[in-house]
Amino acid sequence: MSPILLRPVREQQEHDHVIRLLQTRLRRRFQIAVNLGEETNPCTLGASKLYPDLMLMTDGRAKVLRTIVEVETNESINHLEAMAEWLPYGRVRALFHLYVPSGCSEKTQQLCKEKKIQVDEIWSYHAVGDNMRFTLAYRAPENHGKLARIEKARKTALAKQQAKTKVKAKSAKSIKAVKLKKKRKVTQGKRSTGALKK
């Protein structure tokens, strides 16, 4: 549970609106799990379960968590939030992206630096009329180790998926062969009884 148990209503609406916009914007490239209201999709880190706002999975047969996205508002950018949520999210094998209101990116970056939080990107958002604009405010130097681990996990998941498919195909073949054998025995039995009757 987040240390910011209750945001002001207006901020909560803005927070939820940004999550929905990101979900719509990113769903072409990723499979997305959302934690909003009744939707609960946990992500595990050791024994603990985490509930980031958005989890982006690689598209295709092998689903692997690629990016964790956390959306913050003015009220939720503080030391407690950083230690309780950002720090664990930075430790997950996936990339970690923070979305903060316009004008808060420097404060967020400073907090991450102080608490040694591994954040890969910080984006700022602001409303322009009915539209929401997103701007990349910070990008960490490319973390080759993390990207390599994500790619390795994706390949492992794909290999497992292919192995399962092969096993299913093999078992389906063997079931078909057994049925065919039984059918032949029944047919041979009918022929032999027919010959006896004559």
Side-chain angles (χ1 to χ4, degrees):
M1 183 70 70
S2 171
I4 305 300
L5 297 174
L6 201 63
R7 283 187 178 99
V9 176
R10 192 173 167 204
E11 279 201 11
Q12 188 62 49
Q13 287 172 345
E14 183 182 54
H15 171 266
D16 297 351
H17 179 58
V18 171
I19 291 171
R20 289 295 179 208
L21 281 174
L22 288 170
Q23 184 182 16
T24 306
R25 192 178 173 190
L26 299 167
R27 71 177 169 206
R28 288 180 189 169
R29 291 169 52 213
F30 303 100
Q31 288 196 2
I32 301 172
V34 179
N35 286 307
L36 192 62
E38 296 299 307
E39 296 170 274
T40 52
N41 298 291
C43 151
T44 53
L45 177 67
S48 58
K49 285 187 177 181
L50 308 172
Y51 295 89
D53 292 325
L54 292 148
M55 290 184 290
L56 314 181
M57 268 81 72
T58 52
D59 214 353
R61 286 190 301 170
K63 292 177 198 169
V64 172
L65 181 61
R66 190 184 189 283
T67 310
I68 282 177
V69 175
E70 188 66 11
V71 177
E72 300 298 349
T73 58
N74 285 310
E75 286 288 316
S76 63
I77 299 168
N78 56 54
H79 291 274
L80 281 173
E81 189 79 9
M83 293 306 287
E85 291 195 344
W86 305 354
L87 191 64
Y89 294 156
R91 288 178 179 157
V92 175
R93 186 167 49 195
L95 299 173
F96 175 41
H97 294 182
L98 268 169
Y99 283 75
V100 297
S102 189
C104 297
S105 54
E106 280 185 35
K107 181 184 175 184
T108 305
Q109 207 174 323
Q110 191 59 41
L111 261 173
C112 290
K113 199 175 179 181
E114 281 175 24
K115 306 294 177 189
K116 294 181 179 158
I117 296 163
Q118 291 180 6
V119 64
D120 295 284
E121 289 181 5
I122 298 172
W123 290 75
S124 69
Y125 63 84
H126 66 282
V128 179
D130 291 338
N131 298 321
M132 192 68 76
R133 295 270 169 88
F134 299 99
T135 311
L136 180 63
Y138 167 79
R139 179 177 279 149
E142 203 166 278
N143 190 336
H144 294 289
K146 208 176 227 187
L147 291 168
R149 284 195 297 273
I150 293 167
E151 186 56 27
K152 190 180 176 183
R154 190 189 69 79
K155 283 179 180 174
T156 305
L158 192 62
K160 280 181 183 175
Q161 190 76 31
Q162 286 171 343
K164 275 184 187 176
T165 310
K166 280 181 184 175
V167 167
K168 279 182 185 176
K170 204 174 182 181
S171 66
K173 252 186 183 178
S174 62
I175 289 167
K176 202 174 180 181
V178 167
K179 282 182 181 177
L180 198 64
K181 234 181 190 180
K182 282 182 181 176
K183 199 175 182 182
R184 281 181 189 157
K185 278 184 180 177
V186 169
T187 312
Q188 284 173 354
K190 281 180 182 176
R191 280 182 191 161
S192 60
T193 51
L196 286 171
K197 279 178 184 176
K198 283 179 184 178

Short mmCIF file of all heavy atoms in Angstrom, two decimals, residues 103-127:
data_model
loop_
_atom_site.label_atom_id
_atom_site.label_comp_id
_atom_site.label_asym_id
_atom_site.label_seq_id
_atom_site.Cartn_x
_atom_site.Cartn_y
_atom_site.Cartn_z
N GLY A 103 7.32 20.41 -14.17
CA GLY A 103 7.95 21.23 -13.13
C GLY A 103 8.44 20.41 -11.95
O GLY A 103 9.09 20.94 -11.05
N CYS A 104 8.16 19.10 -11.93
CA CYS A 104 8.59 18.25 -10.81
C CYS A 104 9.72 17.30 -11.18
O CYS A 104 10.17 16.52 -10.35
CB CYS A 104 7.41 17.42 -10.30
SG CYS A 104 6.07 18.41 -9.62
N SER A 105 10.16 17.34 -12.43
CA SER A 105 11.16 16.36 -12.88
C SER A 105 12.51 16.52 -12.17
O SER A 105 13.15 15.53 -11.83
CB SER A 105 11.33 16.41 -14.40
OG SER A 105 11.63 17.71 -14.81
N GLU A 106 12.93 17.77 -11.91
CA GLU A 106 14.21 17.99 -11.22
C GLU A 106 14.17 17.48 -9.79
O GLU A 106 15.10 16.85 -9.32
CB GLU A 106 14.58 19.48 -11.26
CG GLU A 106 15.18 19.91 -12.59
CD GLU A 106 15.65 21.35 -12.60
OE1 GLU A 106 16.13 21.83 -11.54
OE2 GLU A 106 15.54 21.99 -13.65
N LYS A 107 13.05 17.77 -9.12
CA LYS A 107 12.86 17.30 -7.73
C LYS A 107 12.87 15.77 -7.70
O LYS A 107 13.50 15.17 -6.82
CB LYS A 107 11.52 17.84 -7.20
CG LYS A 107 11.21 17.44 -5.77
CD LYS A 107 9.83 17.92 -5.38
CE LYS A 107 9.45 17.43 -3.99
NZ LYS A 107 8.08 17.82 -3.62
N THR A 108 12.22 15.15 -8.68
CA THR A 108 12.16 13.69 -8.77
C THR A 108 13.55 13.11 -9.01
O THR A 108 13.95 12.13 -8.37
CB THR A 108 11.20 13.27 -9.91
OG1 THR A 108 9.93 13.89 -9.70
CG2 THR A 108 11.02 11.77 -9.98
N GLN A 109 14.27 13.74 -9.92
CA GLN A 109 15.62 13.28 -10.24
C GLN A 109 16.53 13.37 -9.01
O GLN A 109 17.31 12.46 -8.73
CB GLN A 109 16.18 14.15 -11.37
CG GLN A 109 17.20 13.46 -12.21
CD GLN A 109 17.61 14.30 -13.42
OE1 GLN A 109 16.79 14.98 -14.01
NE2 GLN A 109 18.88 14.27 -13.74
N GLN A 110 16.39 14.46 -8.26
CA GLN A 110 17.18 14.67 -7.04
C GLN A 110 16.87 13.60 -6.00
O GLN A 110 17.78 13.05 -5.37
CB GLN A 110 16.90 16.08 -6.48
CG GLN A 110 17.86 16.53 -5.38
CD GLN A 110 19.33 16.56 -5.82
OE1 GLN A 110 19.65 16.97 -6.93
NE2 GLN A 110 20.22 16.08 -4.95
N LEU A 111 15.57 13.30 -5.83
CA LEU A 111 15.15 12.27 -4.88
C LEU A 111 15.74 10.91 -5.26
O LEU A 111 16.23 10.17 -4.40
CB LEU A 111 13.62 12.15 -4.88
CG LEU A 111 12.86 12.86 -3.76
CD1 LEU A 111 11.36 12.78 -4.02
CD2 LEU A 111 13.17 12.26 -2.40
N CYS A 112 15.70 10.60 -6.55
CA CYS A 112 16.24 9.32 -7.03
C CYS A 112 17.74 9.24 -6.78
O CYS A 112 18.26 8.19 -6.40
CB CYS A 112 15.93 9.14 -8.51
SG CYS A 112 14.19 8.86 -8.85
N LYS A 113 18.41 10.36 -6.96
CA LYS A 113 19.86 10.40 -6.75
C LYS A 113 20.19 10.22 -5.26
O LYS A 113 21.07 9.44 -4.90
CB LYS A 113 20.39 11.74 -7.25
CG LYS A 113 21.87 11.75 -7.53
CD LYS A 113 22.30 13.08 -8.13
CE LYS A 113 23.80 13.12 -8.38
NZ LYS A 113 24.23 14.41 -8.94
N GLU A 114 19.46 10.92 -4.40
CA GLU A 114 19.68 10.84 -2.95
C GLU A 114 19.46 9.43 -2.41
O GLU A 114 20.21 8.93 -1.60
CB GLU A 114 18.72 11.79 -2.21
CG GLU A 114 19.15 13.24 -2.23
CD GLU A 114 18.10 14.14 -1.60
OE1 GLU A 114 17.30 13.66 -0.76
OE2 GLU A 114 18.07 15.34 -1.95
N LYS A 115 18.37 8.81 -2.89
CA LYS A 115 17.98 7.48 -2.37
C LYS A 115 18.59 6.33 -3.17
O LYS A 115 18.28 5.17 -2.91
CB LYS A 115 16.45 7.34 -2.37
CG LYS A 115 15.71 8.44 -1.64
CD LYS A 115 15.98 8.42 -0.17
CE LYS A 115 15.28 9.57 0.56
NZ LYS A 115 15.72 9.68 1.95
N LYS A 116 19.42 6.66 -4.16
CA LYS A 116 20.07 5.66 -5.03
C LYS A 116 19.04 4.73 -5.69
O LYS A 116 19.15 3.51 -5.65
CB LYS A 116 21.11 4.86 -4.24
CG LYS A 116 22.26 5.74 -3.80
CD LYS A 116 23.31 4.98 -3.05
CE LYS A 116 24.44 5.94 -2.67
NZ LYS A 116 25.24 5.51 -1.58
N ILE A 117 18.03 5.37 -6.28
CA ILE A 117 16.96 4.64 -6.96
C ILE A 117 17.32 4.54 -8.44
O ILE A 117 17.62 5.54 -9.08
CB ILE A 117 15.60 5.35 -6.77
CG1 ILE A 117 15.22 5.33 -5.28
CG2 ILE A 117 14.51 4.71 -7.62
CD1 ILE A 117 14.16 6.30 -4.88
N GLN A 118 17.27 3.34 -8.97
CA GLN A 118 17.60 3.12 -10.39
C GLN A 118 16.38 3.40 -11.26
O GLN A 118 15.55 2.53 -11.49
CB GLN A 118 18.06 1.68 -10.61
CG GLN A 118 19.40 1.38 -9.99
CD GLN A 118 19.82 -0.06 -10.23
OE1 GLN A 118 19.18 -0.81 -10.93
NE2 GLN A 118 20.92 -0.44 -9.61
N VAL A 119 16.27 4.63 -11.72
CA VAL A 119 15.18 5.00 -12.62
C VAL A 119 15.77 5.14 -14.02
O VAL A 119 16.83 5.73 -14.20
CB VAL A 119 14.45 6.29 -12.15
CG1 VAL A 119 15.35 7.50 -12.18
CG2 VAL A 119 13.20 6.54 -12.97
N ASP A 120 15.10 4.54 -15.00
CA ASP A 120 15.63 4.56 -16.37
C ASP A 120 15.16 5.79 -17.15
O ASP A 120 15.91 6.33 -17.95
CB ASP A 120 15.24 3.28 -17.10
CG ASP A 120 15.90 2.07 -16.45
OD1 ASP A 120 17.10 1.87 -16.66
OD2 ASP A 120 15.22 1.35 -15.70
N GLU A 121 13.92 6.21 -16.90
CA GLU A 121 13.42 7.43 -17.57
C GLU A 121 12.46 8.17 -16.65
O GLU A 121 11.71 7.54 -15.89
CB GLU A 121 12.66 7.07 -18.86
CG GLU A 121 13.56 6.59 -19.97
CD GLU A 121 12.82 6.25 -21.26
OE1 GLU A 121 11.59 6.47 -21.36
OE2 GLU A 121 13.48 5.74 -22.19
N ILE A 122 12.52 9.50 -16.75
CA ILE A 122 11.54 10.35 -16.04
C ILE A 122 10.86 11.20 -17.11
O ILE A 122 11.52 11.88 -17.90
CB ILE A 122 12.21 11.26 -14.98
CG1 ILE A 122 12.88 10.41 -13.89
CG2 ILE A 122 11.19 12.22 -14.36
CD1 ILE A 122 13.74 11.19 -12.90
N TRP A 123 9.54 11.11 -17.14
CA TRP A 123 8.74 11.88 -18.10
C TRP A 123 7.92 12.91 -17.34
O TRP A 123 7.47 12.64 -16.22
CB TRP A 123 7.79 10.96 -18.86
CG TRP A 123 8.47 10.04 -19.83
CD1 TRP A 123 9.19 8.91 -19.53
CD2 TRP A 123 8.49 10.17 -21.24
NE1 TRP A 123 9.66 8.34 -20.69
CE2 TRP A 123 9.23 9.08 -21.76
CE3 TRP A 123 7.95 11.10 -22.15
CZ2 TRP A 123 9.45 8.90 -23.12
CZ3 TRP A 123 8.16 10.91 -23.50
CH2 TRP A 123 8.91 9.84 -23.98
N SER A 124 7.71 14.06 -17.94
CA SER A 124 6.81 15.04 -17.31
C SER A 124 5.54 15.12 -18.16
O SER A 124 5.59 14.86 -19.37
CB SER A 124 7.48 16.41 -17.21
OG SER A 124 7.66 16.97 -18.50
N TYR A 125 4.44 15.43 -17.52
CA TYR A 125 3.17 15.56 -18.25
C TYR A 125 2.47 16.85 -17.86
O TYR A 125 2.61 17.34 -16.74
CB TYR A 125 2.26 14.34 -18.01
CG TYR A 125 1.82 14.15 -16.57
CD1 TYR A 125 0.71 14.82 -16.05
CD2 TYR A 125 2.51 13.28 -15.72
CE1 TYR A 125 0.32 14.63 -14.73
CE2 TYR A 125 2.12 13.09 -14.41
CZ TYR A 125 1.01 13.76 -13.92
OH TYR A 125 0.62 13.59 -12.61
N HIS A 126 1.76 17.43 -18.79
CA HIS A 126 0.95 18.62 -18.51
C HIS A 126 -0.21 18.70 -19.51
O HIS A 126 -0.09 18.23 -20.65
CB HIS A 126 1.78 19.91 -18.55
CG HIS A 126 2.33 20.25 -19.90
ND1 HIS A 126 3.44 19.61 -20.42
CD2 HIS A 126 1.91 21.14 -20.84
CE1 HIS A 126 3.70 20.10 -21.61
NE2 HIS A 126 2.79 21.03 -21.91
N ALA A 127 -1.31 19.27 -19.04
CA ALA A 127 -2.50 19.38 -19.88
C ALA A 127 -2.42 20.61 -20.77
O ALA A 127 -2.02 21.69 -20.33
CB ALA A 127 -3.74 19.45 -19.00
#
